[in-house]
Amino acid sequence: MTQRGLAPFDKVLSMPAPIQPIISPIRGLARQLSTSVLAIALLASCTSLRDVPPPDASTYENYLPVGMPADVRFFGDNTDLEATQIANELRGAVAAHHGTGGVNFLALSGGGANGAFGAGILSGWSATGARPEFDIVTGISTGAIIAPFAFLGSGYDAALQRFYTQTRTRDVARFRVLGTVFAGQSLANNRPLQAAIRRELTDQMLTRIAEEHATGRRLIIGTTYVDAERPVLWDVGAIASVGTPDAYELARQVILASASIPLVFEPVQIDVTNGQDIRSEMHIDGAVSQHIFAYPQDLQMGDIIRQLGLERRRNTIWIIQNDRLEPRFEPQSERFGPLLNWTYDALMRSQGLGDVAHIASLAQRDGLALRGVAIPATFAEEPTQFFDPTYMSNLFQVGYEMGLDQGAWRDDIEEVLLGQ
């Protein structure tokens, strides 16, 4: 296991909650565990727990989820996108755009419990009557949980608010430190989160997603394929359109995987086949490979929009940044653990800022407007646990009030993320 894989676990156990709520489940847990226990846990976490072997390196790209067509997913780092299904899929989504307004993309970042901010933004935006119907919605990590609700529209705001203001840590995770140390398990069992996703993402909701998919709209969720070290983008509408119980379960697995923080939660195993053999892929938090995304770089969206005669419209990428990326002054220790935490935090912040900058460059290249919102630096509350209903309710309210204010959407989102 590489050093890059070590950092998140150490951070989970000792990182102060206000910096990275997504990767700091319980602050008190850090105080109860010694450095030696952490070291043993890190070594134990390298143990493989998978039941079905993975594909081999030379043929893994030929495998597809069992029972699924080829268009349900693609690699996010594919450099020949014009020849892939996703180019046709997203081109079709733009071509199917209805109404006289512009094409609207919504990109939802990771951020753990801070997803309450995004839920509040959407609810407040709905209350203004100005929230558009999004042609393409993308989500990573906690953004993957928000994305299906955002995709289906304002009628699902109440369910989103309930999840992000009433959910407690015990509703999404069951911690098992001894199992981590002595059995090589992840820090927490994700069965409560799996049950919560199954409870919220009902068969009826997935049927509605399939119906919207049929109109040309697209819902794309990002995961990280552990074995291949590559980002994977899943077309959840295409999965739901298969219409079988297994397809619905796969859609839920994808969202669970995208929200599964590495080493905190076990990877989600997805059965794949090449038509002969069945193998297992391991997928984890999409934010490991990309913090937020709109569409792949090689997709020339500007050309597509011009070919369809939509270039004179107000075509917009909307960004909801759920994580805190602004730098904060905090005296650091020279000890290994704190420095490792600081290094990982800096890398995550840098990746998040880089991903937003990448979206900004795509928007500029393709002639799209860019509008974004982020948690204001003035919000100084701290969660007391991984999912803290009081903290999340207050953050939801901050998002809701910003959502009511059209002026809260900024075109200088990169400066906003730096706290400027």
Side-chain angles (χ1 to χ4, degrees), residues 74 81 84-91 220 233 235 296 299:
F74 57 96
L81 284 171
T84 65
Q85 181 67 29
I86 185 57
N88 294 328
E89 285 290 315
L90 297 187
R91 183 181 291 110
I220 309 295
L233 305 183
D235 188 336
L299 187 64

Side-chain angles (χ1 to χ4, degrees), residues 19-64:
I19 304 297
Q20 287 284 352
I22 187 172
I23 43 180
S24 49
I26 296 181
R27 296 177 67 191
L29 189 60
R31 303 187 182 100
Q32 298 170 22
L33 297 177
S34 67
T35 303
S36 58
V37 170
L38 291 182
I40 295 171
L42 288 170
L43 292 173
S45 68
C46 296
T47 304
S48 174
L49 300 177
R50 67 197 311 164
D51 299 320
V52 180
D56 60 56
S58 62
T59 62
Y60 74 89
E61 290 184 330
N62 299 327
Y63 282 76
L64 294 170

Side-chain angles (χ1 to χ4, degrees), residues 76-142:
D77 58 358
N78 194 322
T79 57
D80 190 22
L81 284 171
E82 292 303 318
T84 65
Q85 181 67 29
I86 185 57
N88 294 328
E89 285 290 315
L90 297 187
R91 183 181 291 110
V94 175
H97 174 72
H98 303 290
T100 58
V103 179
N104 289 287
F105 304 78
L106 175 65
L108 298 156
S109 83
N114 283 352
F117 173 74
I121 287 287
L122 291 168
S123 294
W125 201 0
S126 295
T128 68
R131 175 176 158 183
E133 179 181 82
F134 303 107
D135 299 279
I136 298 173
V137 176
T138 68
I140 289 283
S141 198
T142 201

Side-chain angles (χ1 to χ4, degrees), residues 245-259:
D246 286 345
Y248 289 167
E249 189 58 30
L250 176 60
R252 298 181 183 108
Q253 278 187 296
V254 166
I255 293 173
L256 175 65
S258 186

Side-chain angles (χ1 to χ4, degrees), residues 271-292:
D271 289 337
V272 294
T273 182
N274 61 358
Q276 298 177 333
D277 302 320
I278 292 181
R279 294 289 184 263
S280 174
E281 295 178 350
M282 293 203 310
H283 288 259
I284 59 172
D285 193 344
V288 171
S289 49
Q290 51 187 352
H291 188 75
I292 187 171

Side-chain angles (χ1 to χ4, degrees), residues 180-212:
T180 302
V181 174
F182 297 110
Q185 297 175 329
S186 58
L187 180 62
N189 186 310
N190 63 6
R191 289 178 185 173
L193 179 58
Q194 183 180 34
I197 291 172
R198 183 176 289 115
R199 184 170 57 251
E200 297 294 339
L201 195 63
T202 64
D203 288 358
Q204 181 183 18
M205 192 171 173
L206 286 164
T207 299
R208 287 281 299 113
I209 290 172
E211 291 170 353
E212 291 301 318

Side-chain angles (χ1 to χ4, degrees), residues 10 55 87 132 157 172 205 221 251 306 319 322 325 381:
D10 186 73
D157 287 350
V172 296
M205 192 171 173
I221 299 300
R306 283 187 291 274
I319 290 177
N322 294 301
L325 299 181
E381 293 189 34

